[in-house]
Structures are given as structure tokens and as C-alpha cells.
Amino acid sequence: MALSPSQMSIRNSNHARFNTAPCEILAIPTNQRARHDLVAVGDEIEQEKDRLLNVFLDFGSSFCKQIRDLGYFADYIDPCSGLPMITQNCNKVYSEVDGMEVLLGYRAHNAGFCKILLHPLWGSA
């Protein structure tokens, strides 16, 4: 996990994405290291993607609940759809790969219709 003050372009779009009044937003980009290179294909890779998704969804839900219980706004993005998980009636998609490129300076490459994030230490795993 890394704490990152939102870049201006992301900050401006987040007000519309989360239906909030203009305010300071702290983005917390999160990454998990996979057990396998996720560019590969097969049942084992799909199971690993599902495992990572479930870990993230559990983390995001728990983390946001704790922040909201303190009286602050918090939401997290569904990695599959790019939509907020808590904020209702929102159709503005957030690209987590684009966010990692802007906020953390990570590189990505295209693999067909999918952008693959390259973590500086883990690569695409």
C-alpha cells in the first residue's frame, strides 16, 4: 500500500465519480503480489486472480468501514468494473492501471484489449 496525494486530473474527476463536493482526497493505491505471472493463461491463473480479487474486496470493505466509522468519506474501486463499490448511482469508470501510472509512476504495456501493470519489483506477477 502507498499513500499518495491525488494528482490534479484524478482529484478533479473523483468529485464527479464519488458524488462529493470538492475536497482533498487521499488516494491509497494498493497492489498484491501474485503467486504466478498473471499474463499467463489457465485454470491456476484464473484461480489466483479470483483469490487476489477476494483478498482485495475483503480489505477494501473492512478498511472503508473503519474510515467511515470515524466520520470520513471512503470508497474503493471494483477492479473488474472500475466502479466505486460503496457510492451509489455512479457510472464513472476509474482505471486502476492508469491510476498506478499517474500516482506511482509504474509502467504498463498493452496485451490485446488489456493493459498490464508492471510493478517495479514484481513485474506482472
Side-chain angles (χ1 to χ4, degrees):
M1 181 185 326
L3 298 177
S4 175
S6 296
Q7 298 290 334
M8 189 59 76
S9 62
I10 291 175
R11 183 181 304 150
N12 290 339
S13 67
N14 279 336
H15 301 305
R17 179 170 293 109
F18 297 116
N19 301 319
T20 63
C23 60
E24 285 295 315
I25 291 179
L26 181 65
I28 306 175
T30 57
N31 292 287
Q32 300 177 71
R33 187 172 188 172
R35 296 176 181 152
H36 309 284
D37 186 339
L38 299 181
V39 175
V41 293
D43 290 341
E44 191 173 37
I45 301 303
E46 293 307 312
Q47 289 173 2
E48 177 66 355
K49 289 178 183 178
D50 288 344
R51 183 189 72 79
L52 293 168
L53 177 61
N54 288 328
V55 168
F56 173 73
L57 294 175
D58 288 346
F59 165 78
S61 176
S62 174
F63 183 82
C64 287
K65 182 182 181 327
Q66 291 177 47
I67 298 299
R68 285 173 169 261
D69 286 350
L70 294 173
Y72 296 98
F73 168 81
D75 206 335
Y76 61 110
I77 301 296
D78 175 359
C80 298
S81 70
L83 295 171
M85 292 294 292
I86 299 171
T87 301
Q88 300 294 309
N89 303 318
C90 179
N91 62 359
K92 304 223 178 344
V93 174
Y94 174 79
S95 167
E96 61 182 3
V97 174
D98 291 347
M100 294 290 177
E101 288 179 298
V102 171
L103 295 172
L104 300 179
Y106 288 4
R107 294 181 323 128
H109 70 268
N110 291 322
F113 294 106
C114 185
K115 285 180 79 173
I116 305 296
L117 184 68
L118 298 174
H119 189 278
L121 300 176
W122 308 333
S124 58

